């Protein structure tokens, strides 16, 4: 019986595989799952376990791996030649102290739950070995778990080295294991490569452990999904759907209504209040916070967005790096670009684009407008077709519109410019100088009618 685990935990993540079946220039572990590299998910899980150190063994395209995950705060170890899993782990061992326990994970197996791995570490105890195994209906391709008559694990045989009787075994080795570092180091030093693949198999250490009388325990995950890897794009797509289903179920458990959980994607971290409703084909990326009673229509994309209570995002709206206050209305077909803030009750309508704009409480930009680098006060109405001319070809300039102002349709505000409080800008104006508070400012050519003017007629047209 294993006792409570007391050794410091080190995690070794084997991530050196080339992934030939992906048919890609991108290293396999950098292929995205839910918008982030496969390897990033595994590192996150290792962090969740409270590991004292995480060593990542990389190989093919290693520079790209270390560059893309430069902020991961892990130890990087190169496996220059891919000579098998045992050889890969050997590369990580010099950085791991003898008194630690080593948990071996894989950079292309991203869905293993932290609770499953905690159970694995606990089962190993301080002096034993624990394997993560699973029962599969079709075990082909995996190493099989060999057991004695009393049920104890005696070893693992790889598919290519297995006899017909061994191939019939349904219990497979996932490759994930936990073992004391000092023992593991000694076993790895004795590995040979006399097998069908000519590789140093990590799995061979199990028979060595049994031969030395070391207890070998096994743990199974709650779901087979936890052990699945991505060797090709089909498998990667299958992992994506499993991940998304998990996220959908988590949000529904927290009180979110998803009109179709199968048509919903999370690519980041989502926190949602009560009674949130999300229609189909919504994509949430980065850090997204949704207040109580938020409603998101179909085909919206929200990236690094905070949405206040009771706000409605109508269909086909894109919001990026913005803060939306309480009881706002956005869309349909609106685009809110980075560094925009909408205060309570603000409204942005169809075919409106905001960029670096602060839209005050109760203000409205409802139709066909571009507003960039602008501060808009409270209760302002911006008419259809209005644009802020914020860029002179070299520099960006700011527009300021005071509380209660009314901007008539088809107005151009040429920044830098200020429109005072309660000012009215006549429709069709081009405003190049500050407009005073409380006054009507109009800038148009005088309308004239030319009496007796005749349109030019093409020759021959009058004979038709």
């Amino acid at each position: 019986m294993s006792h409570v685990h007391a050794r410091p935990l080190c995690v070794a993540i084997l991530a050196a595989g080339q992934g030939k079946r992906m048919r890609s220039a991108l290293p396999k572990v950098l292929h995205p799952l839910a918008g982030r590299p496969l390897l990033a998910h595994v590192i996150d899980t290792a962090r969740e376990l409270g590991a004292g150190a995480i060593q990542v063994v990389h190989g093919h395209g290693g520079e790209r791996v270390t560059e893309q995950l430069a902020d991961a705060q892990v130890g990087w170890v190169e496996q220059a030649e891919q000579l098998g899993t045992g050889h890969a782990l050997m590369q990580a061992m010099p950085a791991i102290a003898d008194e630690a326990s080593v948990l071996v994970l894989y950079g292309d197996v991203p869905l293993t739950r932290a609770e499953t791995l905690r159970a694995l570490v606990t089962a190993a105890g301080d002096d034993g070995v624990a394997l993560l195994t699973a029962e599969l209906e079709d075990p082909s391709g995996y190493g099989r778990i060999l057991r004695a008559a009393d049920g104890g694990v005696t070893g693992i045989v790889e598919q290519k080295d297995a006899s017909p009787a061994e191939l019939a075994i349904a219990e497979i080795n996932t490759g994930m294991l936990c073992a004391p570092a000092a023992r593991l180091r000694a076993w790895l030093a004795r590995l040979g490569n006399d097998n069908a693949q000519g590789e140093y198999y990590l799995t061979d250490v199990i028979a060595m452990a049994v031969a030395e009388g070391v207890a070998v325990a096994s743990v199974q995950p709650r779901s087979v999904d936890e052990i699945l890897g991505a060797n090709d794009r089909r498998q990667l797509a299958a992992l994506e759907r499993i991940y998304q289903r998990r996220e959908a179920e988590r949000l529904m458990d927290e009180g979110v209504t998803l009109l179709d959980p199968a048509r919903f994607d999370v690519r980041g971290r989502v926190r949602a209040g009560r009674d949130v409703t999300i229609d189909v084909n919504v994509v949430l990326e980065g850090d997204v916070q949704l207040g109580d009673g938020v409603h998101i229509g179909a085909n919206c994309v929200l990236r690094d967005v905070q949405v206040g209570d009771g706000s409605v995002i109508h269909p086909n709206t894109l919001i990026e790096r913005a803060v939306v206050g309480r009881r706002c209305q956005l869309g349909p077909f609106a685009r809110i670009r980075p560094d925009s803030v909408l205060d309570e009750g603000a409204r942005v309508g169809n075919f409106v684009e905001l960029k670096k704009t602060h839209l005050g409480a109760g203000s409205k930009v409802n139709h066909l407008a571009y507003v960039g680098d602008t501060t808009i006060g409270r209760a302002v109405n911006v008419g259809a077709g209005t644009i802020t001319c914020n860029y002179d070809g070299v520099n960006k300039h700011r527009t300021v519109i005071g509380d209660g102002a009314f901007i008539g349709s088809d107005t151009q505000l040429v920044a830098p410019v200020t429109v005072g409080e309660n000012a009215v800008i006549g429709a069709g104006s081009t405003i190049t100088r500050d407009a005073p508070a409380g006054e009507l400012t109009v800038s148009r050519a005088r309308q004239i009618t030319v009496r007796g003017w005749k349109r030019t007629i093409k020759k021959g047209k009058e004979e038709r």
Side-chain angles (χ1 to χ4, degrees):
M1 183 77 183
S2 298
H3 50 83
V4 176
H5 197 269
R7 287 174 175 267
L9 179 65
C10 287
V11 175
I13 302 174
L14 308 188
Q18 184 174 347
K20 290 178 183 174
R21 281 182 277 167
M22 286 287 187
R23 298 185 181 275
S24 173
L26 192 67
K28 180 164 72 165
V29 296
L30 291 185
H31 280 264
L33 174 76
R36 299 176 63 232
L38 289 166
L39 178 56
H41 291 274
V42 183
I43 291 170
D44 283 353
T45 305
R47 292 225 178 292
E48 216 179 315
L49 297 172
I54 301 171
Q55 300 294 324
V56 179
V57 181
H58 63 86
H60 175 73
E63 308 78 24
R64 293 182 70 178
V65 176
T66 54
E67 281 168 20
Q68 194 160 331
L69 294 168
D71 298 331
Q73 296 181 310
V74 298
W76 297 104
V77 187
E78 185 180 7
Q79 184 188 17
E81 293 181 274
Q82 273 69 67
L83 300 175
T85 49
H87 179 258
L89 185 56
M90 287 178 205
Q91 313 311 303
M93 293 307 292
I96 296 174
D98 273 352
E99 60 271 16
S101 280
V102 181
L103 174 64
V104 179
L105 304 178
Y106 294 82
D108 64 342
V109 183
L111 299 179
T112 318
R113 288 183 168 93
E115 66 198 58
T116 299
L117 296 174
R118 283 192 196 98
L120 187 67
V121 172
T122 300
D126 279 349
D127 301 309
V129 176
L131 298 172
L132 190 66
T133 73
E135 304 264 350
L136 297 185
E137 286 182 19
D138 177 10
S140 56
Y142 288 92
R144 309 303 204 277
I145 301 295
L146 305 178
R147 293 184 181 271
D150 64 359
V153 175
T154 58
I156 300 168
V157 62
E158 295 298 326
Q159 165 101 12
K160 291 193 176 181
D161 302 305
S163 68
E166 289 165 342
L167 288 174
I169 295 169
E171 187 183 13
I172 61 97
N173 170 46
T174 68
M176 287 175 256
L177 62 82
C178 186
R183 289 186 187 275
L184 196 52
R185 203 185 312 278
W187 294 331
L188 289 169
R190 290 164 44 201
L191 284 183
N193 64 346
D194 183 17
N195 51 57
Q197 293 283 79
E199 294 184 350
Y200 296 91
Y201 292 153
L202 175 57
T203 47
D204 289 347
V205 304
I206 302 306
M208 295 179 191
V210 172
E212 290 180 19
V214 175
V216 179
S218 65
V219 169
Q220 294 211 351
R222 192 169 68 188
S223 163
V224 181
D225 296 344
E226 294 187 50
I227 64 136
L228 298 177
N231 291 312
D232 57 38
R233 294 180 194 259
R234 288 187 184 196
Q235 291 177 351
L236 183 62
L239 290 183
E240 182 76 33
R241 292 330 322 148
I242 293 164
Y243 180 95
Q244 295 302 344
R245 184 74 203 192
R246 272 191 196 178
E247 283 297 295
E249 288 174 355
R250 177 183 69 80
L251 287 169
M252 289 188 290
D253 288 344
E254 292 176 5
V256 174
T257 295
L258 298 176
L259 296 190
D260 185 351
R263 289 187 288 166
F264 167 72
D265 284 78
V266 171
R267 299 172 192 162
R269 181 176 178 223
V270 176
R271 285 165 286 174
R274 295 181 304 170
D275 300 317
V276 170
T277 301
I278 300 176
D279 208 332
V280 301
N281 301 329
V282 168
V283 179
L284 304 178
E285 300 183 356
D287 188 7
V288 175
Q289 299 176 47
L290 306 175
D292 294 345
V294 168
H295 185 105
I296 302 177
N299 309 314
C300 291
V301 180
L302 278 65
R303 183 179 302 124
D304 295 314
V305 173
Q306 186 176 320
V307 183
D309 296 350
S311 286
V312 177
I313 316 295
H314 293 288
N316 301 293
T317 292
L318 169 61
I319 312 175
E320 183 176 7
R321 274 185 25 223
V323 176
V324 177
R326 294 157 54 91
R327 293 192 291 279
C328 291
Q329 298 263 346
L330 286 81
F333 295 98
R335 184 182 182 197
I336 311 300
R337 288 170 56 192
D339 303 322
S340 291
V341 176
L342 281 68
D343 289 344
E344 182 168 358
R347 298 181 65 165
V348 173
N350 47 282
F351 306 105
V352 171
E353 179 179 353
L354 300 189
K355 191 269 299 189
K356 284 189 178 176
T357 289
H358 190 146
L359 186 59
S363 290
K364 298 180 288 188
V365 189
N366 272 339
H367 326 275
L368 301 153
Y370 167 70
V371 181
D373 298 289
T374 300
T375 301
I376 297 176
R378 301 167 61 88
V380 171
N381 185 88
V382 177
T386 295
I387 63 168
T388 56
C389 308
N390 57 319
Y391 183 48
D392 62 10
V394 178
N395 298 306
K396 302 285 176 70
H397 302 282
R398 203 144 189 94
T399 298
V400 177
I401 302 173
D403 294 348
F406 182 97
I407 311 297
S409 296
D410 196 28
T411 292
Q412 298 88 52
L413 299 165
V414 182
V417 71
T418 297
V419 176
E421 292 186 10
N422 299 310
V424 174
I425 305 297
S429 294
T430 299
I431 303 299
T432 57
R433 297 192 301 271
D434 291 353
E439 304 287 352
L440 169 64
T441 300
V442 182
S443 166
R444 309 183 184 132
R446 185 170 61 89
Q447 179 174 318
I448 62 170
T449 300
V450 179
R451 302 289 179 187
W453 176 80
K454 298 281 192 241
R455 292 182 63 182
T456 304
I457 298 172
K458 286 184 182 178
K459 285 183 178 179
K461 195 167 184 179
E462 59 271 25
E463 287 100 30
R464 287 179 191 166

